[in-house]
Amino acid sequence: RVEPVDRRQFGVVVVNGARNLLYGPNGLGGAIDVMTRSPTQPFADLTVETAPARALRATAAGGSSIARIGAVAGVTGDFTRYTRLPSSFERTYYEDGGRRDNSDQRTGSGWSKFVVDLGRDHELVLHAMRTQGRYGVPPATVSLAPRYWRWSDWQLSTVAVGHAYRGSTFSLDQKLYVMDAGNTLDSYDNDSYSTELTGRAFHSVYDEGSVGGVVRALLRPAGDEGGWDLRSWWGLRRDAHSGRADR
């Protein structure tokens, strides 16, 4: 889960169907392409959203440009004590409605982007992002053996450097990236979420990292006038995974 820091500074494209393949092997089930915009003039924004006594989200973003160099950065924090079930929810043995059990969340994210205009429709981009948090997994309301799980730690960091060319009929994007992710999942004995003594309980730590590169090309002979276009994607990625479970 990655939270956009400021929706007004983003372009978002949701892709499904065969076009997912343009985003590489991880796009087979659908893809969301989030594109941060380079500032053309200084800006600063602060947004606060709240559900009284239940949730608070605050985001701040700012950016500026000097000569051929632009920079944007932002942070967000999401603090949720619980989510509320709808009034139409019918009570079950494990859930009596109202506050959803184990539905709290604490997450924080930050990102930055630097853009250098190289001239002649070329630009160099450096991007870094990190998100970290912890949250509960509400138990199933109808299961005879609900799982009492909590993500005690969840984190994701990405650094990428790229080059882009934007011509009137041809565009080319090239990117190299490094990604590091890790999480800790705890399965507890019961809804007290305090002990891990029975056979169903465990403490699981999982880490993964990726190094890769992507090249995307777009040929549009008619330019912005419409007509047909040809898109292609090439990518190479190496993943490394490690994990352990302590019972």
Side-chain angles (χ1 to χ4, degrees):
R1 176 177 178 177
V2 178
E3 293 288 347
V5 176
D6 189 328
R7 298 171 182 84
R8 287 170 291 181
Q9 300 303 322
F10 279 77
V12 179
V13 179
V14 180
V15 182
N16 53 29
R19 293 184 64 192
N20 294 345
L21 296 176
L22 296 175
Y23 294 85
N26 287 349
L28 293 177
I32 300 177
D33 191 6
V34 181
M35 299 164 288
T36 56
R37 297 170 181 163
S38 302
T40 56
Q41 58 184 5
F43 76 93
D45 292 295
L46 174 64
T47 303
V48 178
E49 304 169 271
T50 182
R54 182 164 61 91
L56 172 68
R57 173 183 291 176
T59 66
S64 185
S65 60
I66 302 176
R68 292 176 174 265
I69 301 176
V72 292
V75 294
T76 183
D78 193 335
F79 309 95
T80 302
R81 293 178 58 212
Y82 63 89
T83 58
R84 185 174 294 278
L85 290 166
S87 58
S88 59
F89 177 80
E90 296 184 5
R91 179 174 179 172
T92 68
Y93 182 81
Y94 291 105
E95 179 59 71
D96 57 3
R99 297 186 180 187
R100 186 74 168 96
D101 294 338
N102 199 36
S103 61
D104 63 293
Q105 173 182 299
R106 303 287 188 276
T107 59
S109 302
W111 61 268
S112 61
K113 176 183 178 181
F114 297 89
V115 181
V116 180
D117 184 356
L118 302 176
R120 295 186 178 183
D121 300 320
H122 292 267
E123 66 179 22
L124 181 68
V125 180
L126 176 64
H127 180 266
M129 182 275 295
R130 179 173 175 81
T131 183
Q132 184 170 2
R134 56 186 175 86
Y135 55 94
V137 181
T141 60
V142 295
S143 173
L144 297 179
R147 296 180 292 190
Y148 302 106
W149 285 8
R150 290 192 60 83
W151 293 100
S152 304
D153 181 56
W154 188 94
Q155 54 186 299
L156 172 68
S157 300
T158 302
V159 176
V161 59
H163 164 264
Y165 168 73
R166 297 286 183 268
S168 59
T169 61
F170 179 72
S171 299
L172 181 67
D173 292 278
Q174 303 151 296
K175 180 173 69 174
L176 298 174
Y177 62 88
V178 177
M179 185 272 289
D180 180 72
N183 59 64
T184 301
L185 174 64
D186 284 295
S187 176
Y188 293 93
D189 300 322
N190 50 48
D191 60 4
S192 68
Y193 298 95
S194 59
T195 60
E196 298 176 321
L197 302 176
T198 63
R200 62 183 296 176
F202 60 82
H203 175 76
S204 174
V205 179
Y206 180 80
D207 299 298
E208 66 174 322
S210 299
V211 178
V214 175
V215 177
R216 287 192 292 179
L218 167 63
L219 175 62
R220 182 172 292 166
D224 295 334
E225 300 299 323
W228 62 271
D229 58 57
L230 177 64
R231 301 170 184 259
S232 60
W233 181 97
W234 300 270
L236 181 65
R237 171 171 168 166
R238 178 179 176 83
D239 295 326
H241 308 271
S242 65
R244 69 177 188 272
D246 302 323
R247 289 187 176 274

